[in-house]
Amino acid sequence: MVKPRRTKILATLGPATDRPGALASLLSAGVDVVRINLSHGVIDDHRRRVEAVREWSAAHRRRVGVLVDLQGPKIRIECFRHSPVELREGDSFVLDAALAADAGTREAVGIAYTGLPDDVVPGDELLLDDGRLVLSVDRVVGSAVHTTVVTGGELSDRKGINRRGGGLSAPALTAKDRRDIVAAVDLEADYLAVSFPRAADDIHEARELLRGAGGDGIGVVAKIERAEAVAAADEIIEAADAIMVARGDLGVEIGDAALPEVQKRLIHQARRGNRAVITATQMMESMIENPIPTRAEVFDVANAVLDGTDAVMLSAETAAGRYPERAVAAMDRVCREAEKNRTVTVSHHRLDECFGRVDETIAMAAMYAANHFAIKALIVMTESGSTAAWMSRISSGLPIYVLTSHPRTRGRVTLYRGVYPLELDPEQEDLGALKGRLLERLARQGLVTRGDYVVVTHGDQLGASGGTNALRIICVDDYLNHGE
C-alpha cells in the first residue's frame, strides 16, 4: 500500500469536471477537498456537483471535504461595447461609476464597485487585470476617476481592480454573500471561505451568519488577499479556523516581489496559532492548457510543502482546464517528493510553552512520544477533531488516523496536514474492539505490520467532546492476535 500523502490537495469543480467520468477520475487521483466557487455558475449546478462528490465518497469509503468559496465584493470594471480594447502608455482613461455596464470604450468604462471614487486620490496607482495594466489617478470628478495609463495593454470585460498598497473600503460580505452563506449551509459544507476580509470582525460576522442559518459546525476560512489583511493577520487567524494565502489579488496589492516572504510568514503564523493554512492561486496554471507543469510551478508547490502548508489548491486547472486529472496527479507527485525532505518531519513547535487544557496536553504529549519512539502511526478518537488539529501542527511524518462518529468532524479534518478521517460507531463496540478493528484494517492496507507500535489517544467516555485524557502506546501484535 502506498504511504498516504500528508499535504492535502484542494481542487475546484467546474465545467471541466462535469464531463463524463471526469469527477471520478479527479477524486481517484487524490483530491482531499473540493472547492465550490460561488463567483461562477448557479447553485443548482453546485448542488449537483456536491451530491456527486458525496456519492463517490460513500462508494469508496473515503471522506472528501467540501469548501464553499464566497465571491466577495466585485471590485472590477464593467463591459466594453467592443471588447477587448487596447490601452497605450500615456493615454487618458476614465473609470466611471455612472457609466452603463455595457458602454465601455477606449476612453472610459463603467465600474461595478461604485465606491471607488471615494477611495482614491490623485497619485494613487490602480492595477487592472492582476496588475497587467497600471493606471495613475489624476483627479476625481463626481463619479468619474480620471487616470493616465502607466502600463498599457489589452483590457477586456470585468477585469479586477486593485489599489497599490490596498485601502479600498468595499465590505467583505455583500448581499449576495449573505444569501450564499445560507446556500453553503444547505449544501452541508465543511468550510466556508470568506473573500477579501480586512479584519477579524469580517470573520466574526461570517461566523454569526453561519450560526444564524444553522451552520454552527462549518469551519471559516479567511482568504488573505488584501494588504490590510496581512497587517491584521494574527487577529484574523485567531478568528478563523483556517486561512488561505490567496496570492492573486494579494500579489497585486503588496507587489509580487514581496509575496514569497509574506507567504512563508503567513504559513508560520497560522501554524503557530494552531490553524490550518491553504496555499492557492496559479500553483500549476500552465496545466490549464498543457499536460505537464513548468519547473517553476513544481518548485512553487514543493516550497509551500516545505514551508508547512496544510494544503495546496488548484483553481482553473481543474475547473476549466484541459487536464484536470493530470493536474491533480502532478501536484500529488510533487507533494510526495517534497515530503521526503527531513525538514518536513522535524518540529520544535511549542516546546517551550505551557498548555491550558488536558486534551491539548495529551495531543502535544502524543506527538512528542511519536517523534521520540519507534511509532508507526497515531490513532485519535475524537468528537470535535480538536486533538487532531493540535497534533497536525507538529511535523512528524507520521499518519494521524481520526476515528469519529460525527460526519462534520470527518469533513473538517480532511483539510489538516497528515490527518485521515475514519468512521466510528461507539454504540456497537467497546474501546478495545475498536482499536483491534482499526489495526486490522490498517494492516490489510499495509500501513502497519506486526511488531509496529502506535499511539492511541481517547477519553474515558466515548462520545464526550473535549474529554481526551488518555494516551497509550500499544503494539500491533496485541490487537491482531486478540482484543484488550
Side-chain angles (χ1 to χ4, degrees):
M1 181 73 176
V2 177
K3 183 179 179 180
R5 170 181 24 83
R6 296 182 59 74
T7 309
K8 302 305 180 72
I9 294 177
L10 277 76
T12 305
L13 303 188
T17 61
D18 290 341
R19 297 192 292 259
L23 180 62
S25 296
L26 192 81
L27 298 174
S28 297
V31 172
D32 300 286
V33 181
V34 297
R35 171 177 174 249
I36 303 298
N37 185 5
L38 297 185
S39 296
H40 306 287
V42 298
I43 197 64
D44 286 343
D45 287 340
H46 297 314
R47 181 176 290 105
R48 173 176 46 78
R49 290 163 183 155
V50 169
E51 289 173 353
V53 169
R54 298 258 162 81
E55 288 174 5
W56 186 94
S57 293
H60 292 80
R61 298 186 65 191
R62 182 169 76 82
R63 178 67 185 234
V64 176
V66 174
L67 180 147
V68 171
D69 197 339
L70 299 177
Q71 177 176 278
K74 291 183 178 180
I75 307 177
R76 62 184 65 176
I77 65 170
E78 293 286 11
C79 300
F80 296 95
R81 291 173 186 164
H82 305 288
S83 182
V85 300
E86 185 74 22
L87 301 185
R88 294 188 296 268
E89 183 178 331
D91 284 352
S92 295
F93 191 68
V94 179
L95 304 172
D96 191 347
L99 196 64
D102 58 354
T105 65
R106 285 187 65 254
E107 290 76 36
V109 71
I111 46 178
Y113 173 47
T114 58
L116 184 67
D118 296 323
D119 284 349
V120 299
V121 296
D124 283 349
E125 283 194 332
L126 299 176
L127 302 103
L128 277 60
D129 193 11
D130 288 336
R132 292 180 177 88
L133 291 87
V134 181
L135 311 177
S136 177
V137 176
D138 299 324
R139 64 189 186 280
V140 178
V141 181
S143 65
V145 179
H146 295 257
T147 74
T148 297
V149 178
V150 176
T151 302
E154 185 178 275
L155 182 62
S156 56
D157 299 343
R158 300 190 184 282
K159 296 302 181 183
I161 306 171
N162 296 86
R163 178 180 177 271
R164 193 183 296 280
L168 297 182
S169 63
L173 295 170
T174 67
K176 178 182 186 302
D177 293 331
R178 294 169 188 275
R179 295 192 299 271
D180 285 344
I181 285 174
V182 177
V185 174
D186 182 57
L187 292 173
E188 298 182 354
D190 299 302
Y191 286 95
L192 177 83
V194 179
S195 297
F196 300 104
R198 291 176 294 171
D201 285 347
D202 294 324
I203 306 305
H204 293 312
E205 183 182 3
R207 196 180 297 280
E208 285 303 313
L209 290 169
L210 275 173
R211 287 172 179 161
D216 186 53
I218 296 176
V220 180
V221 179
K223 295 171 67 177
I224 308 299
E225 48 193 340
R226 281 176 160 172
E228 300 95 318
V230 175
D234 280 334
E235 294 82 6
I236 291 175
I237 288 167
E238 184 178 359
D241 299 291
I243 66 167
M244 181 189 297
V245 187
R247 304 176 305 176
D249 287 281
L250 181 60
V252 175
E253 291 209 356
I254 69 173
D256 53 6
L259 263 180
E261 188 276 332
V262 169
Q263 174 178 309
K264 290 176 182 292
R265 177 154 43 93
L266 288 170
I267 292 173
H268 175 72
Q269 286 174 276
R271 293 183 65 81
R272 185 183 64 202
N274 292 314
R275 300 297 190 267
V277 55
I278 305 162
T279 304
T281 316
Q282 297 180 332
M283 301 216 78
M284 287 189 166
E285 190 169 21
S286 71
M287 293 195 72
I288 296 171
E289 296 293 339
N290 301 309
I292 60 172
T294 67
R295 298 297 179 264
E297 290 165 342
V298 168
F299 272 80
D300 184 29
V301 173
N303 280 326
V305 174
L306 295 175
D307 288 341
T309 193
D310 285 85
V312 286
M313 193 176 93
L314 295 163
S315 299
E317 298 97 328
T318 53
R322 297 177 62 188
Y323 306 100
E325 178 188 349
R326 292 192 186 187
V328 174
M331 189 166 267
D332 174 85
R333 185 169 63 248
V334 174
C335 289
R336 289 180 182 278
E337 198 64 31
E339 288 170 5
K340 295 177 182 179
N341 191 291
R342 185 174 180 273
T343 60
V344 178
T345 62
V346 174
S347 178
H348 301 287
H349 181 71
R350 305 183 72 189
L351 281 180
D352 300 322
E353 292 186 26
C354 293
F355 310 123
R357 295 174 49 163
V358 172
D359 49 357
E360 182 181 12
T361 303
I362 291 293
M364 297 296 99
M367 295 307 297
Y368 191 87
N371 279 344
H372 292 82
F373 188 61
I375 297 297
K376 194 65 175 287
L378 295 102
I379 298 172
V380 180
M381 298 181 180
T382 181
E383 295 295 303
S384 68
S386 296
T387 306
W390 287 315
M391 287 181 172
S392 68
R393 301 308 87 197
I394 295 182
S395 300
S396 70
L398 298 172
I400 302 168
Y401 296 102
V402 168
L403 272 75
T404 179
S405 59
H406 299 290
R408 181 146 283 171
T409 299
R410 291 197 294 275
R412 179 78 70 93
V413 305
T414 55
L415 187 60
Y416 301 159
R417 183 171 175 137
V419 176
Y420 313 96
L422 298 171
E423 190 168 356
L424 164 67
D425 186 354
E427 301 298 326
Q428 294 183 1
E429 298 175 277
D430 63 22
L431 192 56
L434 282 169
K435 293 175 187 175
R437 185 165 65 89
L438 176 61
L439 290 173
E440 287 175 357
R441 176 177 173 179
L442 297 180
R444 286 196 303 270
Q445 295 176 333
L447 299 173
V448 297
T449 188
R450 292 188 180 277
D452 287 341
Y453 287 90
V454 299
V455 169
V456 181
T457 65
H458 57 83
D460 288 337
Q461 189 172 14
L462 292 178
S465 182
T468 298
N469 61 1
L471 181 162
R472 295 196 62 192
I473 298 175
I474 62 176
C475 182
V476 171
D477 289 18
D478 296 339
Y479 286 84
L480 293 187
N481 293 326
H482 51 78
E484 203 171 41

